[in-house]
Amino acid sequence: MTTPASSSDQFAPVPDGRYLDVDGVRTFYIDRGEGDVIVLLHGSSLGIDGYITWFRTIEHLSARFRVISFDQIGFGRTDVPEDGQYLNRLERLEHASRFLQLLGVEHATIVGHSEGGFMATYLALENPELVTRLVVVTSGGVSPTLGGSADNEWMEASNSAYDYAGQSMTEDHFIATSAYLKRAEDPSYEAVLRENFRLAQTSGQTPMMLNLPAEETDPRLYVSLQEKHVLPRLAELHLPVLLIWASDDPTVPVARGAKLMELIPQADMHVFNRAGHMVMHDRAEDFATLLAKWCR
C-alpha cells in the first residue's frame, strides 16, 4: 500500500512523494508525469538519495514521461536495514526489483548514476523484459579499471571524495566539503543537502556509512563486484545503451567510460564538458534534453 509523504514545491528540502511498503521496508518514492516510464536510480554516499540526485531531471522529464525515483534501502527517507549494516549495490537490487514489481512497472528506461549505474546494468542483464533502454551516468560502480598505475589517480580521488568520517564532523563542514558545491553556488541543492545531512543523523544512515566494510572503502577491492557480476556479461546486452560522462570527474575519468563503452555492443557515449560527478546538476537542462531526445 502507498501512503503520502509531506509535500511542497520541487526545490524545497522535503520532496513531494509517497511511501510504499516493500516487504516491510518503508520506501520513499517520487512518481510524476505520464507516458513511457523512466526509472532513475541514485548512487551511494552520505546524504545522497533519489531527490537530491534527480530533482532537476524529474522536473524536466515529467512533462513528457512518467518519471519514477525512489530512495534505495538505507538512503534518504527509506528505512535503514534492521541490523544497521550497509547493503552493497548488488545486495540493494533485491529491494529495487521488488519495489518496481509492486509499483507495477513492466517496461522502462532505467537510468543509473554512479552506483546506480551498476544496478541499472545488472537489472538489464537479469530482466531484459523490464529494461527497454539503459542509461549509465558517470559510474565508477560499473566501469572497468584502466590497469596498473593508470588507476592510481582516480583511486586517490575516490578516497578523498568518500571520506565520510572527515566530512561528517559538522553540518557546515559537510556542506563545505561537497564536491558539487565547490564547483557551483547552488542554494536549492545546498538546502536539500543540509536537510539530508540532518536526516542521516536521525535515520541511522550516518553510523551505517561510518562502518563500511573494506570492500566499500578500498577502491582496489571495490571494483570486484563489477568484475565478477557485470563486466564479463556485457556482451549479453542487446538493447540501446547510452553512457553519459563528465569531463571533470576525477573519481570516474572519461577513459573508464570509454573502456566500458567498448564492452557493450550497442553503446553510445556522450561526454559533457564543464561538468563533474553530479552532471545532472552541472548541466541540468542539457542533460535532461539529451535524455528526453534519446528516450523518444
Side-chain angles (χ1 to χ4, degrees):
M1 64 179 293
T2 60
T3 55
S6 301
S7 63
S8 60
D9 68 79
Q10 70 266 24
F11 295 119
V14 181
D16 180 11
R18 300 181 67 83
Y19 288 96
L20 178 67
D21 186 310
V22 180
D23 299 332
V25 177
R26 189 169 183 256
T27 301
F28 178 82
Y29 71 101
I30 297 168
D31 187 346
R32 292 191 195 166
E34 297 180 355
D36 293 341
V37 178
I38 300 177
V39 176
L40 305 172
L41 300 177
H42 65 76
S44 171
S45 190
L46 181 63
I48 285 294
D49 61 12
Y51 183 67
I52 197 168
T53 305
W54 301 115
F55 67 83
R56 291 189 167 101
T57 308
I58 293 168
E59 179 66 17
H60 280 286
L61 294 183
S62 58
R64 300 176 180 175
F65 303 92
R66 179 187 177 192
V67 184
I68 298 168
S69 172
F70 65 97
D71 293 350
Q72 297 163 28
I73 184 169
F75 292 85
R77 291 167 174 78
T78 293
D79 289 343
V80 169
E82 289 186 1
D83 61 3
Q85 298 300 304
Y86 180 81
L87 297 179
N88 67 36
R89 55 201 186 278
L90 181 64
E91 294 165 334
R92 296 200 301 275
L93 275 163
E94 181 178 353
H95 169 259
S97 297
R98 184 66 174 143
F99 166 81
L100 294 174
Q101 182 184 46
L102 291 174
L103 208 59
V105 176
E106 297 180 349
H107 308 288
T109 295
I110 308 292
V111 182
H113 174 246
S114 199
E115 284 204 353
F118 174 98
M119 299 173 70
T121 305
Y122 195 86
L123 279 172
L125 289 166
E126 292 292 305
N127 300 282
E129 70 286 349
L130 167 67
V131 184
T132 57
R133 290 172 174 262
L134 170 64
V135 183
V136 176
V137 184
T138 184
S139 174
V142 73
S143 297
T145 58
L146 299 174
S149 61
D151 293 306
N152 291 344
E153 189 172 349
W154 72 258
M155 287 185 176
E156 290 174 7
S158 295
N159 285 331
S160 176
Y162 302 111
D163 173 21
Y164 302 126
Q167 295 165 359
S168 63
M169 293 184 294
T170 68
E171 180 180 320
D172 285 340
H173 186 67
F174 182 66
I175 297 301
T177 55
S178 164
Y180 169 67
L181 290 176
K182 287 179 180 178
R183 295 180 54 84
E185 184 176 339
D186 188 338
S188 297
Y189 185 97
E190 181 179 334
V192 179
L193 190 60
R194 286 186 178 277
E195 176 63 21
N196 283 9
F197 178 84
R198 298 166 194 155
L199 182 62
Q201 302 291 100
T202 59
S203 70
Q205 190 204 46
T206 297
M208 180 186 77
M209 299 300 287
L210 291 176
N211 191 36
L212 294 175
E215 291 79 10
E216 298 299 318
T217 59
D218 183 339
R220 297 190 184 277
L221 299 177
Y222 176 82
V223 296
S224 63
L225 273 186
Q226 60 250 48
E227 291 174 345
K228 179 179 180 179
H229 296 283
V230 171
L231 298 182
R233 299 181 58 191
L234 290 178
E236 300 174 26
L237 291 174
H238 299 292
L239 77 168
V241 179
L242 177 63
L243 308 182
I244 301 178
W245 240 250
S247 63
D248 304 328
D249 182 356
T251 66
V252 197
V254 173
R256 293 185 69 196
K259 196 169 181 179
L260 177 64
M261 180 178 63
E262 294 173 359
L263 299 174
I264 303 174
Q266 299 184 47
D268 290 315
M269 185 174 183
H270 186 102
V271 180
F272 279 106
N273 194 18
R274 304 183 308 280
H277 194 60
M278 300 303 281
V279 57
M280 69 291 293
H281 293 293
D282 275 319
R283 299 289 299 276
E285 186 171 349
D286 294 333
F287 177 89
T289 298
L290 171 66
L291 204 53
K293 287 182 177 179
W294 190 79
C295 288
R296 288 201 300 271

